[in-house]
Amino acid sequence: MSSRRAFLKAGGALVVSFSFSGSATRALAQQGLASDLGKSLDVKQVDSFLSVHPDGTVTVYTGKVDLGTGLRMAIRQMAAEELGVHIDRVTLVEGDTALTPDQGGTGGSTGLTRGGIEVRQASATARAALIAMGAAKLGRPAAELTIDDGIVRLTSSMTGGVAIADLVGGKKFSIQVDPKAVLRDPKTYTIVGQPLLRPDVPDKCTGKHIWVQDQVVPGMLHGRVIRPPSIGAKIVSVDEAAISAIPGVKVVRLQDFLGVVAPNEWAAIRASRELKVKWSDSSGLPGSEDLAEWVRKAPLEKSDITLTKGSDPATVMAASAKKLSASYFWPNQSHASLGPSCSIADVKDGGATIWNSSQGTHGLRQNIAKVFGLQLDKIRVVYLDGAGSYGGNGNEDAAADAVLLSKAVGAPVRVQWMRHDEHGWD
């Protein structure tokens, strides 16, 4: 945890922002990992979720990300309420695998209902610890104390006291989250439930917000993947001479994966359109006519999870006086994000830094390590807002494209999908 604090300090004024956006994101992401930042943060430890700094400000860390639900403000409210700290003194770090605990993916609007609860419990545990420290410092029973505006005070007078920054500022709590820590009574809330403005909205309304599509890193090249006309098609031949007039373009071919990397985006687009590729025929998709039956017969990856407990369904059906039967088919739908998916990868020294709008940055980190043979403790995924989410769009697939291209050319590569990529391959 001390390395994490040093890492944040190295990023300059990073933690004063509400989330990793703009130049602050770039500054932090390019500092490189400290020796232990690739290790998973223990979700059972208070220090994984929050830090109290010497100036009395608090940084909250969450593996959940804000997909438009207002999490960036709401989780800060929950932490501030439990800690007894003014909301303006609480900042939030979200979805950065080097800095935040793995709380699972953010889906089904569970960022608050699951992720927020863990932050609140950690904050309540921290409050109890701070009051105990304050009791020892003030020579008063903990039962007589509370935390108000970042100061441990006597509940009866609400005057004097000792600042939490003087008790633990800059140091670790080194305690586990107590799932039974007493939460503040909702009747006493002064921060939770207040209609505070979301910090990201002004910049989104004025065009200043940094989306993953806007992200720039030093030495970054631009890549495009050239897709086959159908799933399963193989490369027969590639004529690189067709793009010889476009300066600085590199062709990357890994078996039947084909891409181009160029110094600027327009050169990458031109090269992807003008490179002459001959593909084999393929019939890898079943078509629409018998799709429902094809899906039923497709091989399954089975698990040992028990979905229901109780009576045997076949026995109950056999004894039922009335039986109803129906068949339902719900084919996959494209998520068709407002802006096509984008990702940047910088692969080096057996690891990678990836900028992506994944709803599950920790899961993406694990998949990248497993699929591409990179060292898990050298992989960092940094969350940036994308132009849509709501499930499986192409963001993580764009990350895979970027990793392949960056690994091949030895430089950071930005892969911006086109509309035909998003609709045809998400």
Side-chain angles (χ1 to χ4, degrees):
M1 202 61 57
S2 59
S3 293
R4 180 167 75 174
R5 287 195 177 92
F7 189 58
L8 286 168
K9 186 180 292 184
L14 175 69
V15 295
V16 302
S17 61
F18 293 122
S19 63
F20 285 150
S21 61
S23 59
T25 307
R26 294 192 285 273
L28 176 64
Q30 292 156 25
Q31 291 294 327
L33 296 179
S35 59
D36 65 345
L37 284 177
K39 298 178 182 178
S40 297
L41 295 162
D42 188 353
V43 293
K44 295 181 180 179
Q45 294 292 322
V46 167
D47 294 306
S48 296
F49 291 98
L50 59 92
S51 298
V52 177
H53 305 296
D55 63 356
T57 59
V58 177
T59 301
V60 175
Y61 307 93
T62 176
K64 300 294 186 180
V65 296
D66 194 337
L67 304 173
T69 58
L71 175 153
R72 290 181 181 121
M73 177 54 77
I75 283 188
R76 288 173 58 221
Q77 288 178 269
M78 295 169 79
E81 191 76 73
E82 291 300 329
L83 288 169
V85 178
H86 194 279
I87 185 68
D88 290 341
R89 298 183 69 76
V90 180
T91 58
L92 181 72
V93 174
E94 60 175 315
D96 184 330
T97 62
L99 303 174
T100 66
D102 183 0
Q103 296 177 272
T106 308
S109 298
T110 58
L112 285 177
T113 56
R114 294 180 184 173
I117 287 174
E118 292 176 315
V119 169
R120 182 170 61 180
Q121 204 70 58
S123 300
T125 303
R127 173 166 51 84
L130 289 165
I131 287 177
M133 295 178 200
K137 188 86 170 178
L138 299 171
R140 303 298 293 261
E144 296 180 5
L145 302 175
T146 188
I147 302 179
D148 174 62
D149 198 20
I151 299 175
V152 179
R153 307 179 190 272
L154 283 169
T155 305
S156 58
S157 64
M158 298 300 283
T159 59
V162 56
I164 63 172
D166 295 332
L167 295 172
V168 74
K171 299 187 292 290
K172 294 194 294 184
F173 282 92
S174 298
I175 56 174
Q176 287 196 342
V177 176
D178 180 3
K180 296 182 179 180
V182 178
L183 303 175
R184 288 191 185 271
D185 185 344
K187 295 178 182 178
T188 68
Y189 283 175
T190 60
I191 303 172
V192 169
Q194 297 302 308
L196 303 181
L197 298 179
R198 286 170 45 178
D200 52 323
V201 170
D203 281 355
K204 286 179 177 177
C205 291
T206 56
K208 297 179 181 179
H209 188 74
I210 300 297
W211 305 85
V212 67
Q213 286 87 351
D214 302 316
Q215 178 74 348
V216 176
V217 302
M220 184 180 79
L221 302 175
H222 296 263
R224 287 293 189 279
V225 175
I226 301 165
R227 315 284 179 188
S230 59
I231 288 178
K234 307 291 184 182
I235 295 176
V236 175
S237 63
V238 179
D239 180 8
E240 295 188 28
I243 58 171
S244 59
I246 307 175
V249 176
K250 296 180 180 179
V251 176
V252 176
R253 178 179 175 182
L254 303 167
Q255 297 181 29
D256 294 302
F257 173 87
L258 185 63
V260 292
V261 177
N264 61 76
E265 188 169 11
W266 177 235
I269 293 172
R270 282 189 58 200
S272 68
R273 292 173 176 174
E274 297 175 23
L275 184 65
K276 293 183 179 179
V277 188
K278 184 177 181 180
W279 300 89
S280 68
D281 293 331
S282 173
S283 57
L285 292 176
S288 301
E289 187 174 345
D290 299 315
L291 181 59
E293 188 61 26
W294 186 88
V295 169
R296 286 179 179 274
K297 294 180 179 179
L300 298 175
E301 184 176 311
K302 297 183 179 179
S303 69
D304 296 326
I305 298 174
T306 300
L307 298 180
T308 60
K309 292 182 179 180
S311 303
D312 176 58
T315 302
V316 174
M317 289 293 290
S320 298
K322 184 176 182 180
K323 301 180 179 66
L324 301 176
S325 178
S327 178
Y328 300 92
F329 177 56
W330 185 18
N332 288 335
Q333 304 294 322
S334 175
H335 285 79
S337 298
L338 179 65
S341 299
C342 179
S343 188
I344 302 170
D346 186 7
V347 180
K348 59 185 175 184
D349 302 326
T353 301
I354 299 163
W355 292 262
N356 192 263
S357 57
S358 170
Q359 293 179 226
T361 53
H362 288 84
L364 174 58
R365 175 175 177 257
Q366 293 170 1
N367 286 337
I368 292 293
K370 181 168 59 176
V371 171
F372 298 109
L374 300 175
Q375 297 180 46
L376 182 63
D377 61 355
K378 289 187 176 182
I379 298 175
R380 179 184 184 197
V381 180
V382 181
Y383 175 79
L384 289 170
D385 283 337
S389 54
Y390 322 118
N393 62 2
N395 49 24
E396 298 190 355
D397 305 278
D401 290 342
V403 167
L404 278 172
L405 294 176
S406 175
K407 190 176 182 180
V409 302
V413 175
R414 173 184 181 270
V415 172
Q416 170 65 68
W417 275 18
M418 308 290 277
R419 181 57 66 187
H420 60 265
D421 292 308
E422 190 75 42
H423 283 177
W425 293 86
D426 69 336

